[in-house]
Amino acid sequence: MPRILIVEDEHKISRLLQIELEAEGYEVTQAYNGAQAWDIYQEGQWDLVLLDVMLPEMSGIEILRRIRSVDPGIIVILLTARDSVEDKVAGLDLGANDYVTKPFQIEELLARIRASLRLREQQIQATSADVHIDGWLQAADLRLNEGTREVERAGQSVELTPREFDLLAYLLKNKRQVLNRDQILAAVWGYDYYGDTNVVDVYIRYVRKKIDHGHQHELIQTVRGVGYALREPS
């Protein structure tokens, strides 16, 4: 039974989420301000956190930073009234797995939760099932280890956010294949993701800047009108 922590200062919204999630079979705990949420988070083992951005005592963004400093794998879905592309990208870039704007349809939120938990389980199973001689996926001088979540280019360590890491891992597992935006969204963001496909372009740009900038050969290539491919130099 997945354990979900709801961090929401509006009691009516929190109660509605609790009822719906428990009806879906999840185990639910609630927190109503940032300081309380951080204390509860540290005391338990969680599969997913629903995190309001605007909270008393400690902001949701600060809680997200703290969570990511100790656990890069737990699913965090941000809840907020801010719906600009810039706000969404900022939240995702800080390590959130998804971003839901208020007001939201409960069916959509439940679908996103299911998709996130399913994708996480698939990633865990893939990591345990994938057999690599030394534990690394590789293309040219780029190496990625799913177990340790390390990335290297030309022997130099590369720091990626959780979402950037998942995107690069998917490209590496399918190197030389041309992947369209819908395929990438389904694999990296989840099959029930409802956001715009331009988030793929944004994150491709982020990853390119970190792994290709300053190198003679650019590994991530744009296939005009189709999507992207990670290819080794010929």
Side-chain angles (χ1 to χ4, degrees):
M1 181 185 298
R3 301 188 69 218
I4 296 178
L5 174 60
I6 301 172
V7 186
E8 169 61 67
D9 63 327
E10 294 187 42
H11 285 242
K12 288 184 178 179
I13 294 178
S14 183
R15 177 59 177 158
L16 171 64
L17 291 171
Q18 178 193 16
I19 292 170
E20 294 289 347
L21 290 169
E22 287 180 344
E24 292 282 312
Y26 302 115
E27 182 180 338
V28 177
T29 300
Q30 294 161 287
Y32 301 104
N33 64 61
Q36 179 191 38
W38 181 239
D39 289 341
I40 292 175
Y41 171 80
Q42 294 178 92
E43 293 170 358
Q45 296 291 323
W46 310 100
D47 297 292
L48 185 145
V49 179
L50 286 177
L51 181 59
D52 189 20
V53 172
M54 302 298 292
L55 292 168
E57 299 191 30
M58 186 190 300
S59 74
I61 294 301
E62 176 58 27
I63 295 172
L64 175 59
R65 287 195 183 99
R66 293 188 182 195
I67 288 174
R68 284 294 174 245
S69 72
V70 296
D71 189 345
I74 187 173
I75 299 165
V76 180
I77 298 179
L78 295 181
L79 305 175
T80 179
R82 298 177 177 176
D83 61 355
S84 71
V85 172
E86 292 79 9
D87 285 327
K88 291 179 181 179
V89 169
L92 293 169
D93 200 34
L94 285 169
N97 298 85
D98 206 347
Y99 193 109
V100 178
T101 55
K102 299 176 182 178
F104 52 81
Q105 295 293 325
I106 191 66
E107 292 82 4
E108 177 184 347
L109 178 60
L110 292 174
R112 287 174 182 249
I113 290 170
R114 289 193 298 270
S116 296
L117 290 170
R118 183 167 60 245
L119 179 61
R120 181 63 183 158
E121 182 62 26
Q122 289 170 350
Q123 290 169 341
I124 291 170
Q125 291 175 357
T127 299
S128 349
D130 257 346
V131 178
H132 309 295
I133 294 174
D134 57 0
W136 294 83
L137 294 168
Q138 186 162 350
D141 57 356
L142 172 68
R143 304 201 314 152
L144 177 148
N145 190 305
E146 289 189 289
T148 62
R149 297 187 76 84
E150 294 176 272
V151 178
E152 296 176 356
R153 178 82 198 262
Q156 298 297 311
S157 178
V158 179
E159 295 296 326
L160 299 179
T161 67
R163 185 73 72 182
E164 291 167 353
F165 182 93
D166 293 341
L167 173 58
L168 182 58
Y170 180 64
L171 293 173
L172 268 168
K173 287 179 178 179
N174 297 276
K175 64 182 180 181
R176 295 185 294 275
Q177 295 185 43
V178 179
L179 305 166
N180 63 44
R181 290 169 181 81
D182 288 332
Q183 287 176 297
I184 296 171
L185 275 175
V188 180
W189 276 263
Y191 288 95
D192 295 327
Y193 180 78
Y194 289 92
D196 297 330
T197 57
N198 64 0
V199 73
V200 173
D201 302 321
V202 171
Y203 273 83
I204 287 286
R205 186 167 70 248
Y206 289 165
V207 175
R208 268 181 172 154
K209 185 176 181 180
K210 293 182 178 182
I211 71 157
D212 277 342
H213 182 71
H215 293 275
Q216 181 179 0
H217 299 291
E218 294 186 353
L219 299 178
I220 299 178
Q221 300 178 11
T222 301
V223 180
R224 192 172 299 277
V226 183
Y228 300 98
L230 191 149
R231 293 169 173 162
E232 297 169 298
S234 53

